[in-house]
Amino acid sequence: PCFQSRVCRYDLSEFAPLIDKRTLFSLNWRFGGPEGRGRYGHSDEEMETLLKKWIHDAGTAGWLAPQGVMGLFPCHGDGEDVVVFDPEQPGRELARLSFTTVIGAGNEDLVSGAQYFMPAGDSGYDIIGLQLTTAGAQVEAVIEEFKRRDDFESALFLQGFSDRIAEDMAEHLHDRLRALAGVAPDCGQRWSPGYPGMKDIMQNKMIHGLLKADEALGVQVTDAGEFRPTGTTAAVVSFHPEARYT
């Protein structure tokens, strides 16, 4: 089941049940864990009220818009690379995505994401999932406006919320790709450029181009392989049942 891309968009209020509130409060908004928050006088009720306010304000004003683009492509493994082919013209190479070998669990073996993709042979092509998610291309301008007004607290909240939505949207699209590929909800693994299993951040440009994310979402990628807006994440997905990160 291969196709080039599919765009998913949600209203912020619609997406709200998928937000990882625990990580948003502790990490993205920097309040720390429940015990630490309690010592500084921040209750769970305060956190929930703050979240509701930002869902309402950012959603009504259009500052945040959970969205992403995803695709399934034919591919095959080739050493440390995965060769991605054109779904409409099988055999026409579109890109090579390079993985990085990392030490496996318990320091017992070496693992490369590329090993979970079927090599070229008589059995046809394997399938690779690609995805890119963002909280919306407009958010950086709003953050800068808050900073210009010296409202650094609002800038921090909006930046943190944007980052959280991009990550939670990535998890959601990963689930959708699994469903499209016809595998179990817990099957497979995803890797993002710039992290140990896929160190070369420049591969963000490849994923961005393959998914036509500029046209689909208005997301840009710099010459250094970084996204604009920064609250954006890209990933490569394997559907192999034994795929693991380490």
Side-chain angles (χ1 to χ4, degrees), residues 66-95:
Q67 54 195 290
V69 58
M70 61 183 180
L72 296 175
F73 293 79
C75 72
H76 66 64
D78 184 13
E80 288 285 279
D81 297 341
V82 175
V83 185
V84 182
F85 296 98
D86 188 337
E88 297 179 358
Q89 300 180 45
R92 187 171 81 87
E93 182 176 324
L94 296 180

Side-chain angles (χ1 to χ4, degrees), residues 99-105 111-113 116 188-192 194-199 242-246:
F99 287 80
T100 307
T101 298
V102 294
I103 298 175
V111 178
S112 169
Y116 300 112
Q189 179 67 49
R190 77 175 184 266
W191 295 262
S192 289
Y195 289 87
M198 206 175 192
K199 283 186 178 179
E242 296 178 6
R244 56 193 175 93
Y245 195 81
T246 58

